[in-house]
Amino acid sequence: MTPLIWLVIAPLLGALAVLVVPARRMPAVALGAAAATLGAALALAAQVAGLGPRTVLLGGWTPPLGIVLKADGLGTAFAVMAALVMSGVALAARHELAPDKAGARAAYGFWPLMLLVWAALNTVFVSRDLFNLYVGLELLSLAAVALVALAGSREALAAAMRYLLFALTGSLLYLAGVVLTYSAHGTLDMAMLLARVPATGDGVALGLMTAGLMAKTALFPFHVWLPPAHAAAPAPASAMLSALVPKASLVILLRVWFEAMPDAAGDAALLVMAGLGAVAVIWGGVQALVQRKIKLVIAYSTVAQLGYFIIAFPLTGGDSAVKPWSAGAWTGMVFLALSHGLAKSAMFLVAGIWYSACGAQELRDLKGLARALPMSAFAFALAAVTLAGLPPSGGFTGKYLMMQAAFVAGLWPFALVMVAGGLLAAAYLYRPLAALFAKDEAISCAPVSRVRQAVPLALAAAAIILGVLSAEPFSFIKIGKPDAAVEGL
Amino acid sequence: MNAFLPVLILMTSLLPAGVIFFIPQASHTLRNTINIGAAVAKLALVAWMLLAVAGGASYESVLPLAPGLVLLLRVDALALLFISLSATLWLLTTIYAIFYLGNKAELSRFFGFFSLCVAATTGLALSGSLISFFLFFELLTLSTWPLVAHKQDQASLAAARQYLMFALPASASLLWAIIWLESYTGPVLFTDPPDLSGIEPWKLRTIFALFIAGVGAKAALVPLHGWLPSAMAAPAPVSALLHAVAVVKAGAFGVVRVVFDVFGASDMQALGVDVPLALLASFTILWGSWRALDQGEVKKRLAFSTVSQVSYIVLGAALAGPLAMVGALAHLVHQGLMKITLFFCAGIYDERAGVKKIEGLNGLGQAMPWTSVCFSLGALGMIGLPPLAGFVSKVYLGLGAIEVGAPWVVAVLIASTLLNAAYFLPLVYRLWFLPLGEGVEVSAQAESGAIGLIAPAVVTAAASLGVGLLAASAVSPLGWASLIVARGYLE
Amino acid sequence: MNGLDILALSASALVGLGIYGLLAARHLLRRVLAFNLVGSGLFLWFGAAGARGGVGVDPIPQALIITGIVVALAASALGVALVVAHARLSGPTLPEEAPCDPEPDNRA
Amino acid sequence: MSALAPIVIGDVWPFALLVWPLLIGLVAALPGGARWALRLLPLAPLPALGFALAGAPGAVLLPDLILGTSLEAGRGGPLFIGMTALVWAMAGLHVALTFERGARNGIFAGFWCLTLAGNLGVFLAQDIASFYVAFAAVSLAAWFLVVHDRTPEALYAGRIYIILAIIGEASLLAGLLIGAQAAESFAIAEVRSALAGAPLGGLAAGLLMAGFGIKAGLVPLHIWLPLAHPAAPVPGSAVLSGAIVKAGLIGVLAFIPAGGFPALANAVVILGLVGAFGAALWGLTQNNPKAVLAYSTISQMGVMLALSMTAAASMVPFYALHHGLAKGALFLLVGVFLAATSARQRIVVLVAMGAIGLSVAGLPFTGGAIVKAAAKAEAPAWLALAISASGVTTSAVLGWLLVSLAAKPAKPAESARVWPILLAGPLMLGLAAWALPHAVAPMLGAPDWAYFTKAAALAEVGLPVLVGGLIAAVLMRKPLPSAPTGDLIALLPAISRPRFGRLTAAWQSAARSFRGLLIINSRRSAKAAQSGEAALLRWPLAGALLTATTLLLAWSLARA
C-alpha cells in the first residue's frame, strides 16, 4: 500500500489499538502510531516532490461511483505539518496527560481522540469528494468536541457544547450545499465538478458550503466558540485544536473554491468573505490584547490569524504570469497557514508547560519564567515572531507574498489590514513576553525535562526555518496547484 | 570563494550568537574567548576585504527564498564602511562589556543577543536587496529588545517596550513601502536601481515617505526619536551599541540606501522630496540639540545628542550631492567613534563613581583623568572642534550643502555647533574646573583595575582624533567615503 | 403534485422547523433535536435528488444518506452525552443564555 | 595606492616649528612633567624665531594631514612669525621665572604650547582646513590662559571669551565653507580670489569678518578683550594682546579682498576708527592697568583693521610687528612692576614703559613712528589724518597707564633675585619695538628715520604725542570717573543659557496627554471589545448572523 493510504489508515488503526491495550501502554502505542503516520507523511512528501501528485482510487472504483484520494502539494504539505505537530503533541501529552496529572478519564480519552483527529485531518487533506470531506470533517469535529470536553469542568463542558452547536450547524449548511450540488450535477468528485456544465444553483450551493465551513473554521463572527474551547482543553489538545483543526475546513474551503467551482465565484462574495476576514484579523487582535489568560491570548490570536487565510481569496491570481517574481496570494496563504500551525502548537505546548510546572495561567503569573524556563520562553518568543509576521519566519514570507498580491490586485486596503494585524499581534504577544522577561525571584517551578521543553522549541524553530529556507517548500506547495489559484477567481 | 565570503563574515557573528546562548553562566573563559575570538576573526576578515575591495573586488552571495524574496549579500565599498565600523566597535564594546558586566546575571543571554545584534548589523550592511535589508532590519529590532530590557527592572522593560512601540510600526511602514514599490518594479537590488518612470509621482512620494518613516524611527528622526532617550536605561555597553554601532546607524544607513540605491539622487530631487527630508533632518538636528540642553542625566544628554548627530547623516543623504554624501558617510563612522567614546566614559563614571547626573561630574577630571580626557575628546569632537572627527564631517556636509544650492544648511550646521557647544562644554567644564560635589567620595583609585573599561575608550578617543587628523589620507573614513562616492558617481 | 414534490415540501418543512428550533430553543436538548430535524430534512431532500431524470434510482445518494445518518447519529449521541454532562453541572442551557436559572448547582 | 604616496612634500621646517611646541606641551602631560614643561616654555617658540630670522624660507605639503595641509609663510609672514615668536619667548621666560608650584601648571603649560602652535599655524597655513585648525587652537586653547587663576573674574571673563570664541569659530566655518565651495579648492589664495565673485560671497565675507573681528577686537565684537586681559596672568595677557589678537588680523588680510566688498570695507574702517578713538577714551576711565592696556590694544587693532581695508593693507604686518612687540613688552612690564620691591625698581620700570609707550604713540624716530609713517604713506589722506589724530588718544591712554600704575601700592619684597632677569625680557621686546622697524623699513620701502628730519613730519607725529601727554598729565590731577570694564557687555542682559522652557514643556505635556489618551481609550475600548464579544457569544445572535451570512454569500454568489 502506498504512503497515501497509510497516512489515513495508520492513525485510524492506532486509535483502535489504543482502546484495546492496557491504559499504561496507551502512550507507547499512540506514539508508535504517530511514528508510523509521520513516516507515511514524509514518504508521501518525498513521492510527491519526486513524482508529482499521487492518486489512489479506493477499491479500484472510479468517480463518480468510487472515491478518489489525491495527494497534491497543498494536501501533503498540510499532512506533513500536521504530522510534525501531532508528533510533538504526542510527546508533550505523554507528560501532560499522565493519569496522575490529568485524571484517568482524560488520560484514557485523549489518545484515541487524538489519533482520530489525526486520521480525520489526513482524510480531509487528501480527499477530493465533497461527501467524503463531509464525513472527514464530521469525524474531526466530533473528536475535537470530545477533546474539549475532556477536562470535564463546567467551563469545558459549556465550551464543548457551544463548539458542538457551531460545528453541527456548520455541518448542516455544508451538507445542504453538497446536496444541492449533487442534485444539480450528479457527482461530488471535484475533478468532475470542475468540468461540469454550470447550473443556476451552483452559487447557492457554494454559498451554503462556504458559510458552513466558515462556521467550522471559526471565522468572525462565528469565532466565539473557539477561544473558550481552546482554552478549556488540556494544552496538548489545544495545540492541535488551534493549530490543525481549523486548517481542515480551510483546506476544504480552498478545494471547493479553487478546484471544484472556481467559475461560480463572484467578486461580491469574495469581498464579503475577505471583508469578514479583515474584521477577524482586527477583532481577534483586539480581543487578544484585552485578555488576561495566556491561553485565551493564544486562542484569540488564532481567531485573528484565520482572518488572513480568508483575506487571500480575492487576492489570488495573476501571480506568475504577470509578476514572475511573485508566488501569489494562494501560495502565500498556504505558507502562512503552515507556519501558523507550527507556531501556534508550540505556543500552546509552552503554555501547558507553564501551567503544569509553575501553575501559571494568567499573564501576570508569567513573571520570571524566562529565567526559570529559558528554553520554553525562547520557544514562545520564536513562535511570537512567526505569528507577528516578522522576518525571517514563515509567517513573514507568507504575509509578504499576500501583501504583494494585494498590491498587484489593486486591493491594497487588505495589505493595510495585514500590516495592522501584524502590529496588533506584536502588541498582544508583547504582553506575555514582557511578563516573561520581568524579574521575579520568588518564582518556583517544578523541574521540566529538556525533551519536553525542546518539543515546542523545535516546532517554533520549524516555523522560522520555513521562512529561512523557503524556496523548497514553495516549489513543493506549487505541485498540483490549481489553475484557478494562478489565474485568480 | 567569492560567493562564500559575505556569508562567512555574517557567520563570524551569527555562529557565536548561537553558541553563546548555551554556555553556562559560570564558564566565563569559554564565553569570553568565543566572543573576542569571533570579533577578532571578523575584524581580520574585514581588514582583508578592505584591501581587496579597495582594489576593485566585490563579493556576492545569493540565497533565493520564496519568489520575490532574494536574500542577497554583497560586499561593496559602502557595506564595508559600515562593517568595518561595526566590527571594530564590536570588538571594543565586547571587551568593555566583559569588564562592565563582570559577574552579573544572565551573561550568556546578554552576549548571545549581543552577537546576534552585530550579526544583524552586518547582514544589514551586506544586504544587496531591499528585502534582505528588511530581514536584517527586523532581526536587529528583535535582537536589540532583550538587550535594552536586560536589567529586567521596571525602567528597562518600559524602555524596551517603548523601543518596540516605535520600531515595529516603523518596520510595518518600511514593509509597506517595500511591497508597494516592488509591486511595480519587482525585487529591488541595490546594484540595479529600479526604473521608477512608470509610477505616478504621488505614489512615489508616499512610498518615499513610508520608507523614511520606516528607517527614520531607527535613525531617531524627530518625531520618531522618543525611544532613544528612554533606552538609556540599558547597561552602558548596550547604549554604546544602540548609539554608535548598530541601531541608529542602521537607520541612517537605511536612509542612505533608500536615497541612493532605491530612488537615486536625481529621482529623489525630481520628486521634490529631497528638501522636505533635509528640512526634517535639520529640524531633528536642532531639536535634538535643543532638548539635550535640558537633560540632567549624562546618558540622556548623550542620547539627545545622538538624535541630533545621526541626522547629519540623513541630512547629507538628503542633500544628495557628492560632497554632502562624503560628509554623511564619513560622519557615519565619525559619530560612531565619538559617541561610543562618550558612552564608554559615561558607563565608567556610572560604574566606578556612581555618577549619573551631570552635577556628579564635578571635579572628576582629577580623580579619573583617563576617562575624563577621553570624554572631553569625544565631547569636543561632537562640537566639531578641529581637527577632531566631527569637524571633518561638518566641513564636507557644509561644502556639499552649498554645492547643491542649499546654503541654509550651513546655518543649521552652525546653529547645531553652537548648541552642541552649549550642552557639551558645561560637562567638560564640570569635569575639570569645578570642585568635587559635596559629600561625593571618589576614591583616587577609581580608575585602577578598570583598564578593561578604559582601554576601549582610549582607543576610540584616539581614533576620533586620528581620523580627523589624518582625514585626507586614503585609508581614513573620509578617504573611504570619497572612494564610495567616486565609484557611485562614476557608475 | 407528484411524489417528488411531496418529498421536497416535507424536506423543506423539516429544515425550516429545525432551523427555527435551532435558533429559538434555549434548552440544549431541543437544539440537538432540532439539528436532527434539519439533518433529516436534508437527507430526505438528498434522497429525492437521487430520483432525478426519472431514469431509475441513483444508488449513490442512498449510500451517502446512510453514511450521513450514521454520522448524525454519532453526533447526536455525543451531543446528548454532552447535554447530560453539562446539565448535571450547570443546567440545560448555556451559561450566557440562562438569565434566571434558579438553582443550577442543586441538580448535580 | 595613495597610501604609499609621500607623507611630507617639501621642507620640513614650517611643519617642525609647529610640532616642536606641541612636543613640549606633551611633556606637561607626562606624570611629573609639568615643572619641566614650564621651564621649557621659553624654548617653545625658538625654532619659529629662527625660521623668521632666516626669512621664513620654504613650504611644505602634508597631503594626508587633516584635509591636506599646506604650510608656507605668506604675506608678511616673517614679520608676524618673528614678532609672535619673540613675544611668546619672552612671555614664556616670564612664566618660567614667576610661576610657583601649582596643580594647574601642567594644564597651563600644555595649553600654552597648543596656543602657541595655533598662533604660529595661522601665519603659516595655506589651506583653509589647517588654518581653521590653527585658528581654533589659538582661540580655544587660549581660554586656559585666561581662566588660569580660577578667580570669579577670570571664570566670568573666560565664559564671555569662550562664548565669543565659539561663535567666532562657527561663523568662520560658515564663511570658509562658502568660500571653499566657490573656489572649489581649500587653498586660501584661491578662496580669497573666488570670494568676490561668488554667490553668497558677501555673506561669506561678512561671516569671515565677524569671526576674525572677534579675535582682533573689532568694535563691537571686542567685549571679551578688556575682560580677559586683566583676568589672565601677566604672560597670558602679553601673548593675548601681543600675538594672539594678530591671528584675527592675518585672517582679515589673508581672506578678505577689500576691493571686492566696498560696503564691508567701509563698515570695517568706520568700526575700526570708532575702536581706535573710543576704546582709547574708555581706557581713560579704567583703574586696572591691564584693562587700560587692553583698551589700548583695541584701539591699535582698530587702526590696523581700518588699514587692512585700504591700500595700506600691505603695511599692516609691519604695523603689527611693532604693536605686538611693544604691547607684549608693556604687559610684561606691568607684571615686572608689580613684582618690583623697591622704589628704584618701580621707577626703572615706569621709565621703560614710558619709552615703549612713546613708541606706540608714535614719537618721532621711534619704531612706532616708522610704522605709522609707513602706513600713512600708503593710506588715503583722510585715514592718514585719522591715524595721526589717534596719536593723541594713544599717548593719553598710555600716559594714563603710567599714572594709574604709579598709584598702585608697592608690594613687600619677595622674589628679588630673579627680578633683573624678569626685567630683561620685556626690555628686549621694547628694544626690538624701537629698533626692528628701522631695520625692516628699507626692505619694505617704507620711510626711514630720515623722514622725520622734515619739520612738518616731525610736527605731524610729534604734536599728537605732546597733546596726549598733556591730557594724561591733566588726568593725573583729575581722573575721569571710573566706568565698567567690558563696556558694551554691561549694557547686555546677563548672559545665561537661554531657556525656552515653555516650548519644551508644551512638547512634554502634549506627549503626556497623548499617552494618557491612549491609555484611557485602551481601557474603554477593552471594555467595548469584551462586551462585543459577549454579545456574539449568545447563540440566537450568533445563529442569526450565521443565517444572514449564509444568505448574503448565497445571494452574492447566485448573482454572479
Side-chain angles (χ1 to χ4, degrees):
Chain A
M1 281 201 278
T2 67
L4 179 52
I5 300 289
W6 277 112
L7 190 68
V8 179
I9 290 184
L12 213 51
L13 289 178
L16 294 174
V18 289
L19 286 174
V20 298
V21 299
R24 60 194 168 77
R25 294 234 181 274
M26 283 174 87
V29 174
L31 281 175
T37 320
L38 178 63
L42 292 176
L44 178 63
Q47 275 193 352
V48 170
L51 308 168
R54 314 303 301 152
T55 312
V56 167
L57 299 175
L58 286 184
W61 295 86
T62 53
L65 221 52
I67 294 170
V68 63
L69 297 185
K70 185 176 170 190
D72 57 356
L74 169 74
T76 315
F78 272 103
V80 170
M81 187 268 283
L84 290 175
V85 171
M86 277 297 184
S87 308
V89 164
L91 282 174
R94 228 163 36 128
H95 302 266
E96 296 274 332
L97 286 150
D100 54 327
K101 274 192 196 150
R105 195 178 61 139
Y108 176 81
F110 177 79
W111 297 106
L113 286 173
M114 177 203 123
L115 289 165
L116 273 183
V117 164
W118 199 349
L121 281 171
N122 285 346
T123 309
V124 168
F125 293 151
V126 297
S127 291
R128 287 299 188 286
D129 180 283
L130 288 182
F131 197 81
N132 211 25
L133 285 170
Y134 167 75
V135 174
L137 199 57
E138 282 299 285
L139 179 59
L140 180 66
S141 293
L142 297 182
V145 168
L147 275 174
V148 171
L150 214 53
S153 70
R154 182 180 301 180
E155 293 78 25
L157 287 175
M161 198 65 230
R162 231 176 260 127
Y163 184 7
L164 183 72
L165 284 175
F166 276 94
L168 292 181
T169 313
S171 305
L172 290 177
L173 288 170
Y174 177 79
L175 188 60
V178 171
V179 170
L180 260 185
T181 309
Y182 189 84
S183 57
H185 305 291
T187 181
L188 294 174
D189 182 77
M190 289 193 173
M192 298 182 76
L193 281 175
L194 187 62
R196 79 198 188 283
V197 182
T200 43
D202 285 354
V204 177
L206 186 59
L208 283 170
M209 285 191 279
T210 305
L213 291 169
M214 278 163 70
K216 289 218 171 202
T217 317
L219 189 73
F220 178 91
F222 320 123
H223 64 283
V224 278
W225 60 267
L226 185 144
H230 290 188
S238 310
M240 58 182 151
L241 285 176
S242 221
L244 301 175
V245 173
K247 304 294 189 311
S249 36
L250 175 71
V251 167
I252 301 179
L253 209 50
L254 277 176
R255 298 236 189 263
V256 171
W257 279 76
F258 288 93
E259 293 180 35
M261 304 184 172
D263 48 310
D267 286 344
L270 280 171
L271 284 180
V272 169
M273 278 173 72
L276 288 178
V279 178
V281 168
I282 304 299
W283 184 268
V286 170
Q287 292 295 339
L289 203 51
V290 302
Q291 299 304 318
R292 290 216 185 88
K293 289 191 176 171
I294 175 71
K295 279 179 105 180
L296 278 175
V297 172
I298 308 175
Y300 271 109
S301 148
T302 301
V303 171
Q305 297 280 327
L306 291 170
Y308 291 122
F309 309 145
I310 308 297
I311 287 179
F313 278 72
L315 307 183
T316 52
D319 36 300
S320 314
V322 184
K323 308 277 174 189
W325 65 81
S326 170
W330 187 88
T331 323
M333 178 254 272
V334 173
F335 214 70
L336 194 60
L338 293 174
S339 37
H340 169 251
L342 294 167
K344 191 48 66 69
S345 57
M347 270 194 175
F348 267 115
L349 290 181
V350 166
I353 292 178
W354 291 337
Y355 176 59
S356 64
C358 319
Q361 235 178 334
E362 306 222 338
L363 290 182
R364 57 162 184 247
D365 303 334
L366 297 182
K367 268 194 175 178
L369 285 187
R371 181 169 295 179
L373 298 168
M375 259 169 96
S376 65
F378 191 58
F380 190 87
L382 282 187
V385 166
T386 302
L387 289 187
L390 296 173
S393 67
F396 165 73
T397 318
K399 214 183 263 185
Y400 171 84
L401 288 177
M402 280 175 63
M403 283 176 70
Q404 205 181 46
F407 273 108
V408 173
L411 294 171
W412 58 266
F414 288 112
L416 199 59
V417 169
M418 283 184 256
V419 168
L423 287 178
L424 269 173
Y428 63 69
L429 291 170
Y430 183 80
R431 295 169 71 228
L433 279 174
L436 282 171
F437 214 70
K439 240 183 203 161
D440 187 5
E441 308 295 346
I443 190 83
S444 69
C445 286
V448 180
S449 72
R450 286 208 160 217
V451 179
R452 217 172 130 204
Q453 286 199 64
V455 166
L457 186 59
L459 286 171
I464 300 281
I465 291 169
L466 204 52
V468 176
L469 305 173
S470 50
E472 290 300 310
F474 260 103
S475 42
F476 186 81
I477 292 169
K478 278 188 175 171
I479 297 172
K481 182 177 174 181
D483 293 341
V486 181
E487 289 154 13
L489 291 168
Chain B
M1 187 61 186
N2 284 4
F4 184 57
L5 264 179
V7 179
L8 186 66
I9 199 164
L10 185 62
M11 284 303 155
T12 50
S13 7
L14 202 55
L15 282 183
V19 175
I20 290 169
F21 277 119
F22 299 99
I23 297 178
Q25 163 81 7
S27 312
H28 292 288
T29 319
L30 177 61
R31 183 172 49 235
N32 295 347
T33 311
I34 293 180
N35 257 325
I36 294 181
V40 169
K42 182 171 187 175
L43 202 53
L45 205 57
V46 168
W48 187 75
M49 276 203 209
L50 273 172
L51 283 179
V53 170
S58 76
Y59 306 97
E60 207 172 86
S61 318
V62 188
L63 175 62
L65 302 179
L69 294 168
V70 185
L71 194 58
L72 175 64
L73 296 179
R74 192 166 179 280
V75 181
D76 58 6
L78 177 58
L80 260 187
L81 178 84
F82 194 18
I83 293 181
S84 38
L85 171 76
S86 68
T88 314
L89 296 187
W90 182 37
L91 176 61
L92 293 171
T93 314
T94 304
I95 295 172
Y96 183 85
I98 287 171
F99 284 88
Y100 186 89
L101 294 171
N103 198 17
K104 289 183 186 147
E106 306 282 10
L107 288 179
S108 291
R109 184 185 74 200
F110 181 87
F111 282 107
F113 281 113
F114 200 77
S115 300
L116 198 59
C117 186
V118 174
T121 312
T122 310
L124 197 110
L126 290 174
S127 292
S129 69
L130 209 41
I131 203 70
S132 24
F133 180 84
F134 179 75
L135 291 180
F136 288 108
F137 198 75
E138 282 298 281
L139 184 62
L140 183 62
T141 308
L142 299 179
S143 57
T144 342
W145 182 80
L147 294 177
V148 176
H150 181 74
K151 287 185 195 160
Q152 293 179 264
D153 54 10
Q154 210 63 40
S156 306
L157 284 172
R161 176 159 175 259
Q162 199 167 9
Y163 172 50
L164 283 193
M165 277 174 73
F166 280 91
L168 286 180
S171 303
S173 166
L174 182 59
L175 180 63
W176 181 258
I178 291 174
I179 293 179
W180 196 353
L181 182 66
E182 292 194 347
S183 72
Y184 296 111
T185 62
V188 173
L189 305 184
F190 292 147
T191 42
D192 178 25
D195 175 22
L196 305 176
S197 53
I199 310 169
E200 290 159 65
W202 73 266
K203 285 183 181 162
L204 282 176
R205 284 190 198 108
T206 317
I207 292 174
F208 187 80
L210 288 167
F211 265 119
I212 294 302
V215 290
K218 279 230 170 40
L221 275 179
V222 172
L224 306 173
H225 66 293
W227 61 273
L228 189 58
S230 349
M232 62 99 211
V238 175
S239 299
L241 200 69
L242 287 179
H243 287 260
V245 188
V247 179
V248 293
K249 281 299 156 57
F253 185 77
V255 173
V256 172
R257 281 289 193 206
V258 166
V259 166
F260 285 90
D261 294 333
V262 178
F263 280 79
S266 55
D267 274 0
M268 181 180 73
Q269 280 153 351
L271 287 170
V273 289
D274 54 335
V275 176
L277 181 60
L279 283 173
L280 182 67
S282 304
F283 182 71
T284 305
I285 289 174
L286 296 179
W287 181 258
S289 304
W290 186 260
R291 296 278 283 121
L293 284 175
D294 261 349
Q295 304 303 320
E297 278 182 65
V298 179
K299 281 175 91 181
K300 268 210 165 162
R301 196 173 274 213
L302 295 182
F304 274 107
S305 152
T306 304
V307 171
S308 166
Q309 292 278 335
V310 168
S311 268
Y312 279 32
I313 305 167
V314 179
L315 182 60
L319 294 173
L323 284 176
M325 204 51 224
V326 170
L329 295 177
H331 198 61
L332 192 83
V333 177
H334 292 166
Q335 192 268 353
L337 290 172
M338 297 185 290
K339 192 42 73 66
I340 206 167
T341 310
L342 289 169
F343 269 102
F344 281 160
C345 293
I348 299 173
Y349 288 135
D350 186 3
E351 190 69 9
R352 288 277 153 167
V355 167
K356 289 189 166 68
K357 300 262 177 196
I358 58 167
E359 292 81 20
L361 294 179
N362 291 3
L364 284 185
Q366 305 289 333
M368 307 171 77
W370 285 97
T371 315
S372 301
V373 165
C374 293
F375 189 90
S376 306
L377 273 177
L380 295 176
M382 281 290 177
I383 297 171
L385 183 80
L388 289 158
F391 162 69
V392 176
S393 335
K394 265 179 200 167
V395 166
Y396 272 84
L397 280 174
L399 290 177
I402 303 166
E403 179 190 45
V404 299
W408 56 271
V409 167
V410 177
V412 172
L413 292 178
I414 295 304
S416 159
T417 301
L418 295 179
L419 285 169
N420 290 348
Y423 66 78
F424 269 131
L425 284 184
L427 302 188
V428 178
Y429 183 76
R430 278 170 191 281
L431 280 175
W432 299 106
F433 289 93
L434 292 185
L436 272 178
E438 289 286 321
V440 176
E441 291 282 326
V442 179
S443 107
Q445 274 83 48
E447 286 191 337
S448 69
I451 178 88
L453 297 177
I454 293 171
V458 170
V459 172
T460 52
S464 38
L465 179 60
V467 295
L469 210 51
L470 298 176
S473 77
V475 293
S476 73
L478 184 75
W480 194 259
S482 312
L483 175 86
I484 295 170
V485 171
R487 284 191 184 166
Y489 274 78
L490 288 177
E491 269 165 19
Chain C
M1 183 178 283
N2 62 24
L4 272 182
D5 289 339
I6 294 172
L7 281 178
L9 272 177
S10 327
S12 305
L14 280 173
V15 170
L17 281 171
I19 288 176
Y20 173 78
L22 208 52
L23 289 184
R26 186 170 285 167
H27 200 288
L28 291 170
L29 195 57
R30 282 174 187 268
R31 287 190 186 161
V32 174
L33 288 173
F35 158 74
N36 275 292
L37 273 188
V38 183
S40 307
L42 288 175
F43 292 137
L44 198 54
W45 183 15
F46 208 173
R52 231 159 37 95
V55 280
V57 174
D58 187 352
I60 293 176
Q62 295 183 5
L64 297 186
I65 288 168
I66 292 175
T67 318
I69 288 173
V70 172
V71 170
L73 174 72
S76 305
L78 180 67
V80 171
L82 264 183
V83 170
V84 171
H86 186 267
R88 277 200 190 128
L89 281 179
S90 22
T93 56
L94 283 174
E96 68 270 12
E97 295 165 26
C100 51
D101 195 20
E103 37 194 4
D105 280 354
N106 297 350
R107 290 164 195 254
Chain D
M1 266 179 73
S2 51
L4 301 174
I7 296 167
V8 180
I9 304 168
D11 306 304
V12 80
W13 276 112
F15 184 57
L17 71 88
L18 295 182
V19 173
W20 172 247
L22 292 177
L23 289 177
I24 293 184
L26 275 184
V27 172
L30 298 176
R35 276 177 55 216
W36 283 103
L38 274 188
R39 290 186 189 161
L40 290 174
L41 287 189
L43 303 181
L46 290 188
L49 192 59
F51 178 74
L53 289 177
V60 66
L61 202 63
L62 297 131
D64 285 351
L65 195 65
I66 315 176
L67 303 178
T69 297
S70 158
L71 300 174
E72 187 182 358
R75 76 167 52 187
L79 298 182
F80 274 121
I81 295 171
M83 177 273 285
T84 303
L86 205 54
V87 171
W88 278 89
M90 293 309 146
L93 185 66
H94 197 97
V95 173
L97 292 173
T98 59
F99 268 43
E100 288 159 19
R101 271 192 182 196
R104 294 187 295 264
N105 281 352
I107 294 179
F108 186 84
F111 283 101
W112 176 277
C113 293
L114 182 56
T115 315
L116 168 59
N119 204 350
L120 294 170
V122 291
F123 300 128
L124 287 170
Q126 292 302 311
D127 67 293
I128 63 165
S130 51
F131 178 86
Y132 189 74
V133 171
F135 199 85
V138 68
S139 290
L140 303 179
W143 181 76
F144 289 87
L145 310 186
V146 175
V147 301
H148 178 70
D149 286 338
R150 308 289 202 271
T151 57
E153 294 79 30
L155 291 176
Y156 175 68
R159 190 147 137 197
I160 304 295
Y161 176 77
I162 199 76
I163 289 174
L164 279 171
I166 287 175
I167 292 176
E169 291 289 317
S171 69
L172 209 55
L173 180 60
L176 290 179
L177 288 176
I178 299 175
Q181 186 54 47
E184 297 192 341
S185 160
F186 283 152
I188 292 179
E190 293 190 30
V191 170
R192 179 186 161 91
S193 53
L195 264 184
L200 299 172
L203 177 66
L207 287 167
L208 289 172
M209 195 66 223
F212 295 132
I214 286 176
K215 186 92 293 193
L218 177 68
V219 175
L221 306 170
H222 67 287
I223 42 176
W224 63 273
L225 219 146
L227 297 171
H229 284 64
V234 165
S237 315
V239 293
L240 269 174
S241 214
I244 294 177
V245 290
K246 304 300 186 296
L249 201 60
I250 187 78
V252 173
L253 291 174
F255 281 95
I256 299 174
F261 305 101
L264 180 72
N266 289 342
V268 171
V269 168
I270 292 167
L271 290 174
L273 290 180
V274 168
F277 291 98
L281 289 175
W282 197 276
L284 294 178
T285 66
Q286 303 296 311
N287 292 323
N288 184 335
K290 281 161 87 182
V292 178
L293 272 176
Y295 276 107
S296 160
T297 297
I298 298 171
S299 160
Q300 292 291 307
M301 291 306 291
V303 172
M304 283 180 253
L305 286 167
L307 283 172
S308 37
M309 290 293 109
T310 65
S314 59
M315 285 301 158
V316 168
F318 191 36
Y319 198 113
L321 166 77
H322 170 262
H323 174 254
L325 294 170
K327 199 48 70 69
L330 283 173
F331 265 107
L332 289 176
L333 281 173
V334 171
V336 176
F337 181 84
L338 295 177
T341 50
S342 67
R344 203 169 56 96
Q345 287 177 342
R346 285 161 65 104
I347 290 169
V348 168
V349 175
L350 284 182
V351 169
M353 287 178 85
I356 297 167
L358 285 173
S359 176
V360 177
L363 186 76
F365 303 109
T366 60
I370 296 279
V371 298
K372 275 193 184 177
K376 284 192 287 192
E378 304 279 334
W382 51 270
L383 188 56
L385 191 62
I387 292 173
S388 296
S390 78
V392 176
T393 48
T394 305
S395 36
V397 78
L398 291 176
W400 169 245
L401 168 73
L402 296 181
V403 171
S404 64
L405 207 54
K408 293 273 165 198
K411 264 202 193 164
E414 267 171 21
S415 54
R417 208 162 46 80
V418 297
W419 193 83
I421 317 173
L422 210 53
L423 180 66
L427 280 188
M428 219 171 111
L429 283 179
L431 269 178
W434 267 68
L436 267 182
H438 289 282
V440 174
M443 298 181 214
L444 296 173
D448 58 8
W449 61 273
Y451 169 79
F452 301 107
T453 52
K454 284 176 267 180
L458 194 62
E460 185 195 325
V461 288
L463 198 60
V465 179
L466 205 62
V467 176
L470 284 176
I471 294 174
V474 172
L475 289 176
M476 188 155 57
R477 295 292 162 111
K478 255 182 90 101
L480 290 173
S482 67
T485 310
D487 53 280
L488 289 178
I489 203 154
L491 306 174
L492 288 176
I495 294 198
S496 59
R497 177 152 70 67
R499 285 181 179 277
F500 290 73
R502 228 184 265 173
L503 189 62
T504 311
W507 166 264
Q508 281 166 343
S509 79
R512 247 198 313 277
S513 55
F514 179 67
R515 233 170 284 154
L517 209 67
L518 278 183
I519 290 165
I520 294 168
N521 281 352
S522 73
R523 272 185 207 142
R524 265 189 211 156
S525 52
K527 266 190 189 159
Q530 278 162 341
S531 61
E533 187 74 353
L536 285 176
L537 199 59
R538 294 176 177 281
W539 176 250
L541 177 59
L545 276 174
L546 195 46
T547 317
T549 311
T550 311
L551 291 176
L552 188 62
L553 275 177
W555 174 72
S556 57
L557 280 170
R559 253 168 32 117

